[in-house]
Amino acid sequence: MELIKNISTAEQPYLFTRHVHFLNFSRFGGDQPVYINIIRDPVNRFLSNYFFRRFGDWRGEQNHMIRTPSMRQEERYLDINVCILENYPECSNPRLFYIIPYFCGQHPRCREPGEWALERAKLNVNENFLLVGILEELEDVLLLLERFLPHYFKDVLSIYKNPEHRKLGNLTVTVKKTVPSPEAIQILYQRMRYEYEFYYYVKEQFHLLKRKFGLKSHIRKPRPRPEFFIPSPLETEEPIDDEEEDDEKWLEDIYKR
């Protein structure tokens, strides 16, 4: 209630950016804010977090810093393959069930890896988010944000491409990051199968949205993945033309939710 009050009474325009599991303001008598989010490939997210917690990024002193001072040395230098293959808590569920809970919401079952949390997360994406983008296609995310929310994101792509911004962005790269063995990667895929089902669902919805607004960007070819562990995403090769809905009317409908 305190969070809802703080956000609802803030002077406009107001952008709140924090790690918050989805909260339905309307259930508590508040006006629902416009929700936006960006997710990334689950394994890449996990690996970045694993090494960032240990060694930080290039913004610290001497080109890097220790991100978690209280971490024991044997834990800090734990080989990523040992962590995964020997099923350490940090490299197994529920720690790996990370992205879905943020979209699922506040219910305790949202923290339990399974179909219930997955379906609820998908439902919230459809009903309560203006946009959920893919980090691997960030420039297209920015183009859509500028289109949907120009008051907040005017010229955002130009700002993002500015050399000074890119220089600052390079400092946030995680240091000392290594790639696990193929065997360890396959195990991660297995453990994160719900995360990947959600990721591919969001990715497909994002691609549908891009086609609806005429974005046809060049996307880097994704790295190979073990298809027998992860369902392949649906493919939509042609633009949507079965519903000739006005773009602005569609956007108005989103705002009413």
Side-chain angles (χ1 to χ4, degrees):
M1 290 300 297
E2 182 179 355
L3 179 63
I4 291 175
K5 180 181 178 182
N6 289 341
I7 293 177
S8 300
T9 59
E11 183 179 353
Q12 301 295 324
Y14 186 73
L15 180 68
F16 185 82
T17 170
R18 288 292 186 277
H19 290 347
V20 178
H21 290 202
F22 173 75
L23 180 60
N24 192 334
F25 281 48
S26 60
R27 286 189 60 195
F28 299 92
D31 293 331
Q32 191 80 322
V34 176
Y35 272 101
I36 57 178
N37 212 323
I38 303 174
I39 66 174
R40 67 185 298 190
D41 177 275
V43 165
N44 285 341
R45 186 215 64 80
F46 164 74
L47 294 177
S48 287
N49 182 67
Y50 183 89
F51 292 101
F52 180 72
R53 288 184 65 244
R54 286 160 169 78
F55 308 113
D57 54 30
W58 294 98
R59 291 173 294 180
E61 296 179 1
Q62 297 179 350
N63 292 332
H64 76 278
M65 64 180 180
I66 300 301
R67 178 67 178 178
T68 314
S70 61
M71 184 179 287
R72 301 190 308 274
Q73 287 299 92
E74 59 268 25
E75 182 182 359
R76 187 181 311 282
Y77 292 98
L78 176 64
D79 184 270
I80 184 69
N81 291 298
V82 173
C83 184
I84 296 168
L85 297 176
E86 297 187 11
N87 204 27
Y88 279 66
E90 186 177 2
C91 299
S92 60
N93 280 316
R95 297 278 188 89
L96 297 179
F97 192 67
Y98 182 87
I99 300 173
I100 288 175
Y102 279 105
F103 292 87
C104 179
Q106 303 290 326
H107 196 286
R109 290 184 68 183
C110 289
R111 281 68 170 165
E112 301 172 6
E115 291 289 338
W116 190 91
L118 170 63
E119 293 306 317
R120 183 162 175 150
K122 289 180 181 179
L123 183 66
N124 279 332
V125 167
N126 293 336
E127 295 187 350
N128 294 294
F129 281 79
L130 173 66
L131 173 67
V132 181
I134 301 297
L135 184 62
E136 293 81 3
E137 302 170 34
L138 180 57
E139 291 191 8
D140 288 343
V141 176
L142 299 179
L143 284 171
L144 287 175
L145 285 174
E146 184 174 14
R147 173 70 181 272
F148 296 165
L149 300 169
H151 191 60
Y152 292 84
F153 293 101
K154 181 177 174 56
D155 295 328
V156 65
L157 188 58
S158 299
I159 296 170
Y160 172 72
K161 289 184 173 182
N162 182 283
E164 287 301 313
H165 175 273
R166 301 307 289 263
K167 182 179 178 181
L168 290 173
N170 289 336
L171 296 177
T172 66
V173 175
T174 301
V175 300
K176 296 189 177 182
K177 185 162 61 174
T178 60
V179 179
S181 68
E183 180 186 4
I185 289 287
Q186 288 184 354
I187 289 175
L188 280 181
Y189 275 125
Q190 241 179 340
R191 293 174 183 169
M192 303 174 84
R193 60 187 181 277
Y194 293 114
E195 294 278 274
Y196 269 99
E197 185 173 342
F198 181 72
Y199 173 76
Y200 287 130
Y201 177 81
V202 168
K203 189 173 184 177
E204 173 65 10
Q205 298 305 307
F206 181 61
H207 286 177
L208 289 172
L209 188 60
K210 288 204 303 181
R211 291 186 179 95
K212 189 177 184 70
F213 285 89
L215 288 183
K216 296 182 179 179
S217 59
H218 296 286
I219 304 169
R220 289 182 300 174
K221 185 177 181 181
R223 58 194 175 91
R225 61 181 188 275
E227 297 289 349
F228 48 87
F229 285 148
I230 309 166
S232 297
L234 297 174
E235 297 293 341
T236 306
E237 299 297 338
E238 299 298 327
I240 301 172
D241 57 5
D242 53 335
E243 293 184 12
E244 296 182 356
E245 183 181 11
D246 178 75
D247 288 347
E248 301 305 324
K249 174 64 167 55
W250 174 88
L251 192 56
E252 290 175 7
D253 291 341
I254 289 288
Y255 275 114
K256 292 176 182 177
R257 291 177 179 174

